[in-house]
Amino acid sequence: MAAVVKDTVNTLLDKLHLSSKDAPVSLKEPTEEELEELRKKYVEAKQEQVFTFYDELNTTDKAQLFAQLSTIDPNHINEISHKALNPPPAAKEQATVEPLPESATASVLDSNPNDIEKWYTYGLELIAENKVAVVLMAGGQGTRLGSSAPKGCYDIGLPSHKSLFQIQAERIWKVQQLAQTNYKKDKVVVPWYVMTSGPTRGTTEKFFEEHNYFGLNKEDVVIFEQGVLPCISNDGKILLESKSKVAVAPDGNGGIYQALVTSDVRTDMRKRGIEHVHSYCVDNCLVKVADPVFTGFSASKNVDIATKVVRKRNATESVGLILLKNGKPDVVEYSEIDKETSEAKDLKHADLLKFRAANIVNHYYSFRFLDSIEEWSHKLPHHVARKKIPFTDTETGEYKKPEKPNGIKLEQFVFDCFPMLPLDKFASLEVKREDEFSPLKNARGTGEDDADTSKKDILDQGARWVRAAGGIVVNEGQTGVEVSPRISYGGEGLTFLKGRTINAPAVIEKEGGEGASA
């Protein structure tokens, strides 16, 4: 029975995704009967405007439009857009918010070092047993950075000029080597599932191929695509991008759950015997990919979801917070919290904010939870993003670029499923911001969360590692050392630098080696 339910839901999910995977290999113009059957669906849903230009299209364009419209359920789109645009009235009583209880949290800043070591050892053991996988959310383009390429291709300006993709791939390579060596395994594999979007998939695949998958085995790097949803006008109509194509947009980072199913990524995980999954965003240059400490912490607590958080800098920092909302784990955006609450102090630690667990979109999932996606994914809400959406006017046939928002894009958030969990299946681990979180959001020169701050954070971290190993960093007006992830995953293995003087900026690419930047 469960298998039948899964097949049925999978069929529905396939219809809601318009990825290249869903497009037929060869398209042909539909028969009159096929066309009328499909047109009837859209007429009944009052979305027949998508066929406005059908009769004037050539055979190829007719086939393409028919194929795309066949993957969309207009009644479902009506339903989710109506719900998103007309949410239920807010409760009269203000939501209650509290920090997560101590039973669900830990912090590497003040935990017993023995506990951290136990988590690391357990996590590395799970990696050695080939039970850990990584899912990367990499659908974004570097538009804000002045680049049309996928953000993972971006060079933040390190002396080595490594891209974000390369830095993260090398961390996977290194943690595989650490597990293999420590547990005397012939081969350790941490499969890397890279979720792209329609605009970034082809470029991402080419980038990985050109760089020989950065030393990872090709069969262990799976590139897949998140789903898309039609763009909707302000009056609820599906918009046309061109006369032969519906305007669509990625379905948000919450689309990861459906994409894991429709892309067969989850099936691949099951075949490999994966039990623990680390997921994160590509724009964090400091991310500890497949972190043994985080994996060990989460697995030892037997939770279904865990989140990494960093300590909020101050009461006014614009970050979402991990907390309890009406008794359930949730993420609350900074704009939803009043001044008094944001400034409240922790009763046990007067120098700390009461609400300080800043969300960095860095998550652990048990595979058993991902194996239940069909049971809860349909309950996830869709959120409205009002946008300026280029479209083809169905009255004039003209392509227009609006100057103000003319429609909505529907998206889901990755954390929308958190409140569905009982508290004993959710946990949070606080980590050091300077060691694990440096997002790339803005154009170079902005001074905050840009390429320059990302570069500085990596070089500062490397310098700390060198000094901790007994090395001496000579700045000469510069700061920092780039330590290749292939040499050290988290500061370990650098004893060969003891007593050595490193002239910064420098690159440590191999044991005993040092190279200065240009």
Side-chain angles (χ1 to χ4, degrees), residues 208-334:
F208 272 78
E209 289 168 2
E210 289 175 346
H211 292 84
N212 198 27
Y213 296 84
F214 308 105
L216 300 175
N217 292 325
K218 179 179 179 179
E219 61 269 24
D220 298 324
V221 179
V222 179
I223 297 173
F224 67 109
E225 191 174 323
Q226 72 182 102
V228 295
L229 289 168
C231 299
I232 310 296
S233 70
N234 286 332
D235 57 357
K237 298 297 184 181
I238 295 173
L239 290 169
L240 289 175
E241 177 183 322
S242 68
K243 293 182 178 182
S244 61
K245 185 179 181 182
V246 170
V248 296
D251 54 6
N253 59 18
I256 184 174
Y257 303 117
Q258 292 183 357
L260 290 175
V261 177
T262 59
S263 65
D264 291 332
V265 162
R266 190 181 61 178
T267 299
D268 188 70
M269 289 181 181
R270 188 181 295 110
K271 289 178 180 177
R272 292 173 183 262
I274 298 299
E275 296 180 8
H276 312 277
V277 179
H278 178 217
S279 177
Y280 68 96
C281 292
V282 73
D283 61 2
N284 180 11
C285 67
L286 291 179
V287 62
K288 289 186 174 180
V289 190
D291 179 14
V293 171
F294 188 40
T295 302
F297 163 78
S298 306
S300 65
K301 293 184 76 68
N302 194 32
V303 295
D304 283 330
I305 295 179
T307 66
K308 276 191 181 183
V309 299
V310 296
R311 195 166 288 179
K312 193 177 179 183
R313 287 193 181 107
N314 52 57
T316 60
E317 185 181 9
S318 300
V319 291
L321 296 173
I322 303 286
L323 42 64
L324 286 184
K325 181 178 179 181
N326 294 332
K328 298 179 180 180
D330 209 339
V331 174
V332 174
E333 297 300 336
Y334 66 92

Side-chain angles (χ1 to χ4, degrees), residues 201-211 223:
R201 181 172 186 167
T203 310
T204 300
E205 289 175 333
K206 183 178 180 183
F207 193 75
F208 272 78
E209 289 168 2
E210 289 175 346
H211 292 84
I223 297 173

Side-chain angles (χ1 to χ4, degrees), residues 7 20 36 58 69 88 131 140 178 183 201 207 227 230 235 253 318 329 338 359 439 470 485 506 513-514:
D7 287 343
S20 58
E36 286 311 307
N58 61 37
L69 292 175
K131 293 181 178 179
L178 288 170
Y183 289 91
R201 181 172 186 167
F207 193 75
D235 57 357
N253 59 18
S318 300
D338 60 40
N359 175 36
E514 172 196 343

Side-chain angles (χ1 to χ4, degrees), residues 312 315-316 337-345 352-354:
K312 193 177 179 183
T316 60
I337 299 177
D338 60 40
K339 186 173 185 289
E340 181 181 357
T341 303
S342 64
E343 293 179 351
K345 295 292 187 178
L352 297 178
L353 292 171
K354 179 179 180 181

